[in-house]
Amino acid sequence: ENDNPEATFPRRLLKSVLIYLDSIGEVVYFSSQDDLAELVVLDPRWFTVNVLGAMMAPRAVFPKAFSSASTDEGCLLRGDFTAALGIEVAQVDQLLKLLLRLGMYVDTDNGMLFPCLLAGGMPRSVWLPLDDPAMNYLGWRYACTSPCTILTAGFMPRVQFMLQRLLSGDSQPVLWRHGLYGVSTVGKGVEVCVMQGDEMLTVDVWVRSVGAATHRRQ
């Protein structure tokens, strides 16, 4: 007998089997993501209910993130995350790799920042009026083409996740439930504010800088 399973079960065939099992809901397999090709969720119900479901009801699953004054808003320590979800230590690294790749949280100096744990309102300290005649302002509003089409619940967290990495100013971007504010090092320092409308139909993008008028829309 050959102890090497790949010798009798070709890798290409294994991938085809996993894609099929994923299509019928027996496993969760991200076939299109090369960096996740080695991860297979064997219990889709556990992953969707216990893990992703926790992101939909964070106050019930992560009460410490809301009740502890010492916990930075939106952040969880690794131990708190493990204890809240009842995950074995050996499984944590693989699960966190998957959630990080899906844009469910961001690594920060204060812990793992989950957008679902953020407060709802825009902080008063964000986008304060500036008395500078040289300051230029730009803005765009992106709207759904139909009132019957709304942004998904995961849209803003993914935007926050991506911009958290792109905005590399002197301080960490400020995040709240439906928005983000940060300072980019591009040019002379460009301030960016992104906000999602309450009806989940629009997204506003505000940009201001002394040289904002010379920057192209990206």
Side-chain angles (χ1 to χ4, degrees):
E1 295 183 2
N2 195 325
D3 294 331
N4 184 2
E6 291 193 2
T8 57
F9 205 84
R11 194 173 187 85
R12 184 180 303 174
L13 179 58
L14 175 62
K15 182 175 181 179
S16 298
V17 171
L18 289 173
I19 291 175
Y20 171 72
L21 292 176
D22 177 79
S23 69
I24 63 175
E26 291 295 326
V27 301
V28 177
Y29 177 59
F30 299 90
S31 58
S32 61
Q33 308 293 336
D34 292 339
D35 54 341
L36 297 179
E38 301 299 323
L39 294 180
V40 180
V41 179
L42 300 178
D43 189 344
R45 179 177 175 80
W46 169 81
F47 181 64
T48 55
V49 176
N50 293 33
V51 179
L52 298 185
M55 309 302 169
M56 304 302 172
R59 288 185 178 273
V61 183
F62 305 112
K64 186 174 181 179
F66 296 92
S67 61
S68 176
S70 61
T71 302
D72 284 82
E73 186 176 355
C75 289
L76 283 176
L77 298 178
R78 182 188 176 99
D80 296 334
F81 177 80
T82 304
L85 295 183
I87 306 171
E88 296 180 5
V89 175
Q91 297 175 320
V92 174
D93 289 339
Q94 293 182 335
L95 178 60
L96 290 180
K97 177 183 178 181
L98 177 57
L99 293 180
L100 184 64
R101 182 63 179 82
L102 295 177
M104 300 298 294
Y105 80 95
V106 181
D107 270 323
T108 71
D109 295 337
N110 297 322
M112 300 181 297
L113 190 151
F114 288 83
C116 64
L117 300 181
L118 296 168
M122 176 179 176
R124 293 183 179 181
S125 59
V126 169
W127 207 262
L128 296 174
L130 298 177
D131 186 15
D132 187 346
M135 184 68 66
N136 295 299
Y137 290 81
L138 296 174
W140 301 272
R141 166 163 287 187
Y142 299 92
C144 297
T145 56
S146 168
C148 296
T149 304
I150 64 173
L151 300 170
T152 64
F155 173 79
M156 183 51 66
R158 291 185 67 82
V159 171
Q160 292 169 324
F161 175 80
M162 290 185 290
L163 291 183
Q164 177 86 358
R165 292 187 167 185
L166 292 175
L167 296 177
S168 54
D170 296 333
S171 59
Q172 288 285 340
V174 178
L175 282 72
W176 58 97
R177 179 62 61 86
H178 299 301
L180 172 145
Y181 166 82
V183 180
S184 172
T185 55
V186 176
K188 297 181 179 180
V190 179
E191 296 179 70
V192 179
C193 186
V194 181
M195 294 192 303
Q196 178 177 292
D198 294 336
E199 303 83 7
M200 299 184 71
L201 295 172
T202 61
V203 175
D204 292 331
V205 180
W206 302 345
V207 180
R208 70 182 178 187
S209 170
V210 173
T214 65
H215 291 283
R216 294 181 178 180
R217 178 170 63 178
Q218 300 294 326

